[in-house]
Amino acid sequence: VVMDRMFRFCYSLTSLNLTNFNTQRVVWMEEMFMGCSTLTGLNLSAFDVSRVSNMANMFSGCTNITGLNLSNFVTASLTNITEMFKKYPNGYYEYFREIFDQNLHGVKLKKRLYIYKHYILFSVLTHKKKAIRNVKGVLNKIIIAIFFLFTSPFEEKRFKI
């Protein structure tokens, strides 16, 4: 089942109640809410995204969403999050924070480094640097310290969101 572009460019949409949506068989959610710039409330806590592989541009341009709960969006089948939160860096921060809060034991080092890098990047870009202090685990703290050693504070200016 594909749900891509379902609410794309619904400019006058301010909130949605999707608690009764059955998403168990959905595999594609690309651009689902793209361009919904006036959307502020969105409850996706009932979404089952365990089979979804593509969420590219899903929330791109949703600059006014607050309190987006993405705890159930951490899934092994997800392979494409390209520009998932374009023009909405807080969305990226929340997403990677949710992943970071998961138990990453057993996750390959390359993927773990990708998660750490993005968590740090969006913590800095959204001015939530204090969140980095809450990191648990010695290995996680060492990896984050290494990122800070090799990252200039001026590098964040090169990233465009």
Side-chain angles (χ1 to χ4, degrees), residues 1-3 6-7 18-29 32-33 43-52 55 58 72-73:
V1 177
V2 176
M3 293 176 74
M6 185 173 270
F7 302 101
L18 302 174
T19 53
N20 293 322
F21 261 44
N22 183 348
T23 58
Q24 290 176 332
R25 295 184 180 175
V26 176
V27 295
W28 208 266
M29 292 184 170
M32 190 171 180
F33 303 101
N43 183 353
L44 304 177
S45 60
F47 269 36
D48 179 351
V49 295
S50 59
R51 294 183 181 184
V52 177
M55 291 185 185
M58 187 173 181
N72 58 333
F73 274 56

Side-chain angles (χ1 to χ4, degrees), residues 38-141:
T38 58
L39 187 62
T40 55
L42 190 59
N43 183 353
L44 304 177
S45 60
F47 269 36
D48 179 351
V49 295
S50 59
R51 294 183 181 184
V52 177
S53 62
N54 188 348
M55 291 185 185
N57 289 296
M58 187 173 181
F59 303 100
S60 179
C62 297
T63 54
N64 290 306
I65 293 179
T66 56
L68 191 59
N69 180 348
L70 299 169
S71 58
N72 58 333
F73 274 56
V74 180
T75 171
S77 60
L78 188 58
T79 57
N80 187 358
I81 61 166
T82 305
E83 297 186 343
M84 186 174 174
F85 301 97
K86 186 176 181 183
K87 297 183 183 176
Y88 180 51
N90 281 325
Y92 278 114
Y93 168 76
E94 294 297 328
Y95 180 74
F96 283 104
R97 185 181 56 96
E98 291 293 345
I99 294 175
F100 203 76
D101 286 345
Q102 303 292 318
N103 181 358
L104 296 176
H105 183 72
V107 175
K108 291 183 179 181
L109 183 61
K110 185 177 179 181
K111 192 163 190 169
R112 197 184 279 200
L113 290 174
Y114 176 84
I115 292 166
Y116 294 149
K117 177 181 80 173
H118 285 84
Y119 177 73
I120 293 166
L121 170 68
F122 291 106
S123 294
V124 171
L125 288 175
T126 58
H127 307 290
K128 294 181 171 127
K129 297 174 191 172
K130 292 179 184 175
I132 296 169
R133 293 183 191 149
N134 299 330
V135 173
K136 299 172 189 139
V138 176
L139 178 62
N140 295 345
K141 290 180 181 186

